[in-house]
Amino acid sequence: MKERRVFLVILVLAMLAFALRVWYSRVNGLLPQFSNADDGDYYQRALRFVVTGRYVDDSWLIRPPLHVWFFAACLKLALLLGRPVTYGVQIIQYVQAGLGAALVPIGYETVTRLVRDKRAGLLFAVFWAIWFPFIDLSTTLFSEPLYLFLFTLHLLLLLRYDDSHRLRDIGAAGLALGLTALTRSPALYALVFAIPWLWHTELSRAHAERGQRHWFRLGRPGWQRVLRPFAVLAATTLLIVLPWTARNWLTYHRFIPVDTLGPINLWLDLGDAGERTPKIEQLRRLPQADRQAYASAQALAILEHDPLRPVRPMWSTFRGIVKAQFIEDFFVKRSAYNRALRPVAPLGLLGDLMWFVWMLGGLVGLLHPATDRPFKWVMGLWLVYSVATVLIFHVEPRYLLTIWLLLAMYGSWTLAQGPGLVITLRPYAVRALLVVGVAGSFLLLFVTYRNYPAILAQGLWREQAFARGEAAFRNNNYPAAEAAFRLALAVDPTYIDTKVALAAVLGAEGRPAAGAALLNAHASQQSELMLGALLRSVGDAGHAAPLLEEGERLVNLDVQQWAQTALRPEPRSSVTLGGNLDLGYIRGFALGEQVNDHSLRWLEGEGDITLPLPAPLVVGNVVVVEVAAPIPLNGPLQLQLNDGALLNIQPQPQWRSFVLPVPLEAAGQTSLRLHLRAPTFTPMKRDPASDDPRSLSVMVHQVAVKQ
């Protein structure tokens, strides 16, 4: 294939990869500042680092630092732009999308060098660009986007050394590996994977030159050619890692190369799942410096008492590796758990098909003699190591991405060969049996794990009914929406998202108690929010307020936007902000607060308060807005009622009520929409002691329609 044509294809794939990742980041609506998972911890630590200049470890673990520093750099840029909360996550996602686009040419070059086939490189570039888990990865604030980028770059640099034997290439590979280890520490221990590769490379050279193949006959020059590049690789890797190790020693007086995740996770995973929370609390009571030693001792005690404890669940864990992940997430799990899977279902289902084809091909390509070369030691040991760590700990989709990345490289070679693959395998009877046996085992594991045809049929039927229900709900055709959602629930009675949607319809029809009866607050975060809103509708504010407050604080999405879309809140002529009973009526406000006798929300620059009214507006109605601006604004607060003329007011530091006349053209309308816009300030830019990164403007207590 001509170089110019290859360049154009790679350029188009890189642009497609970037566009898909940016698009999905906008669809997904991730807000990690509210997440109580790892991504929320990474975001908060990065933000603290930007604001205070101090790096603080996780509250109960010492984690690798590089991705937190990476996020901090993006947040710093957002801070300079004046909107750290609004722009921060977007900048991180755009940069991660850029890493995804950059991995198209890097992946192409890596696979081309690995299997000596440009067609395979192009096929891998296609896989990287459009496989949904890699697209999804760029929207999250986990370590994997940066880790996979650095890991693939490390492989490419090793392959460059394999071709050039320039020490600068393997030195650069060591620097990349050191950075990879500071993102996910298991990469550090993979240094030893280079030894059998370098040894086999020198053995092959000696055999070609002198016809000798025994390892101890390499002689001193041969072993020097093995150890010298390994020493350079190790030295440059440690050059990156050791400063962090020294920091851990100076901080905790313990030898901690990178993190404490391994021993602690091992102890937690060896125990019963029900004991995990008490164990975490037990660890939190210890000083940070003592936690790794304590966890290691507890894990060793379990293993001494029951040496086979890690082995017993391995078969079920291994079976959980070979599965169609998007189908699992969308059609098997009880909820999408705030992930926007429905808009990307075609891409996700295509991704599962691609995964099946590329992984089956990857096993064939990995075992095929045509791909044999010394570098297969590195690839094979990485695969074994990655699978082993998953089996010892637990299966999580993002932990499997290294496995799928490596197999996809060999799968691309298999797909590039076509029918000629079988011909080249004929002279190798034993290897052919191995290839057929492993590929057959993969197929057997896949088809026996779940009945995917039946799951797909049920899931597509459910989604057809669900889509009809959503369309009817948007059009306020509640009887049709109820019928469609009840059909979807009959098809799949366990799907929580359908129950949430049906409960919203029942609430809109004036039957909030019936909707609340469908829901369990602990089933999902959206279930908790919907239950709170329905209990508010029946007047049970005491139970509604805590559910709404916790849901808004912990759900990693734009809850105010979701509430305006998913709820049909009860009509009212006034709303008090900040008391945790205002969701569904507001958009563009910070979390609720209580200052003296006033509950309030800060306006984050621009927002809306929308009231469905118990009676239509009439001429002579007024809107009373109670606001305060304790920080002087660099301009007026602009208000707009139901698309009427803009009104400018100047709030005072003290609470003050402003009376606004309802526009004549709004008479007869059954809802009030108050749009607010005001200049913002960032507390932590005004006060060096503050760690508040929000962009705030005015405080709002209440909006009411009066005669």
Side-chain angles (χ1 to χ4, degrees), residues 35 52 64 93 141 161 230 260 290 297 305 308 312 411 557 624 700:
S35 174
T52 66
Q93 291 172 332
L141 265 67
Y161 172 79
F230 176 75
T260 59
D290 299 335
H305 180 263
L308 298 180
R312 239 176 249 112
L557 52 76
V624 180
V700 182

Side-chain angles (χ1 to χ4, degrees), residues 384-404:
V384 172
Y385 180 47
S386 301
V387 172
T389 54
V390 168
L391 294 179
I392 292 172
F393 294 102
H394 57 274
V395 175
E396 194 169 321
R398 59 194 176 103
Y399 297 163
L400 302 174
L401 291 176
T402 303
I403 300 171
W404 308 143

